[in-house]
Amino acid sequence: MGVVRKTKHFRKILSEFSKSHSAISANSLVSLYANSMNKSTIYRILNKLEDDNIIHSFIGLHGLKWYAKCSGCTTQEHYDNHPHFQCENCNEVRCIKSSIQPSELIGSKFYVTKILLTGLCDRCFSSI
């Protein structure tokens, strides 16, 4: 783990992940902080948070990169290998926690960890 400088901008980005129960797209952070920090600062902070296993990323619908807060990861090991769900109507993205260990499914170590499931969330499905 490198040195984490907890600048004002770093704390702002980190606070977004602390208060969110769903994933956050890089684009939404860029839009949210357009008036207070530049895009390269946001991406630099996101990369640092991901390198230090504080957040994890994945590619969602339409090729957008999403980030979510890690759960139980350490600076040495990343444990957030799970699928994600994205609603095709409202675009909300959530982590799908699994009680099944990947090695139980395959029987050996594997490296594909970016699985995206799409459909309608409960809220959107019930409004049809």
Side-chain angles (χ1 to χ4, degrees), residues 87-104:
C87 179
E88 293 182 12
N89 187 48
C90 70
N91 277 323
E92 179 184 30
V93 178
R94 295 183 298 221
C95 296
I96 299 175
K97 300 299 179 197
S98 174
S99 61
I100 299 172
Q101 294 301 314
S103 59
E104 294 175 34

Side-chain angles (χ1 to χ4, degrees), residues 63-107:
L64 291 178
K65 194 166 188 178
W66 292 79
Y67 297 86
K69 192 168 183 184
C70 287
S71 175
C73 297
T74 67
T75 55
Q76 290 80 31
E77 187 107 30
H78 192 68
Y79 299 107
D80 277 318
N81 298 332
H82 55 261
H84 297 86
F85 172 81
Q86 184 169 9
C87 179
E88 293 182 12
N89 187 48
C90 70
N91 277 323
E92 179 184 30
V93 178
R94 295 183 298 221
C95 296
I96 299 175
K97 300 299 179 197
S98 174
S99 61
I100 299 172
Q101 294 301 314
S103 59
E104 294 175 34
L105 298 173
I106 298 174

Side-chain angles (χ1 to χ4, degrees), residues 17-104:
F17 290 100
S18 296
K19 65 186 178 185
S20 179
H21 296 291
S22 59
I24 304 170
S25 73
N27 285 357
S28 66
L29 290 171
V30 168
S31 296
L32 180 64
Y33 292 111
N35 295 326
S36 62
M37 64 180 100
N38 64 44
K39 187 190 294 190
S40 62
T41 299
I42 293 169
Y43 279 103
R44 187 171 38 256
I45 292 168
L46 290 171
N47 287 336
K48 179 64 177 155
L49 290 170
E50 190 169 17
D51 287 346
D52 291 341
N53 292 337
I54 296 169
I55 61 175
H56 61 278
S57 70
F58 55 95
I59 303 299
L61 290 174
H62 314 296
L64 291 178
K65 194 166 188 178
W66 292 79
Y67 297 86
K69 192 168 183 184
C70 287
S71 175
C73 297
T74 67
T75 55
Q76 290 80 31
E77 187 107 30
H78 192 68
Y79 299 107
D80 277 318
N81 298 332
H82 55 261
H84 297 86
F85 172 81
Q86 184 169 9
C87 179
E88 293 182 12
N89 187 48
C90 70
N91 277 323
E92 179 184 30
V93 178
R94 295 183 298 221
C95 296
I96 299 175
K97 300 299 179 197
S98 174
S99 61
I100 299 172
Q101 294 301 314
S103 59
E104 294 175 34

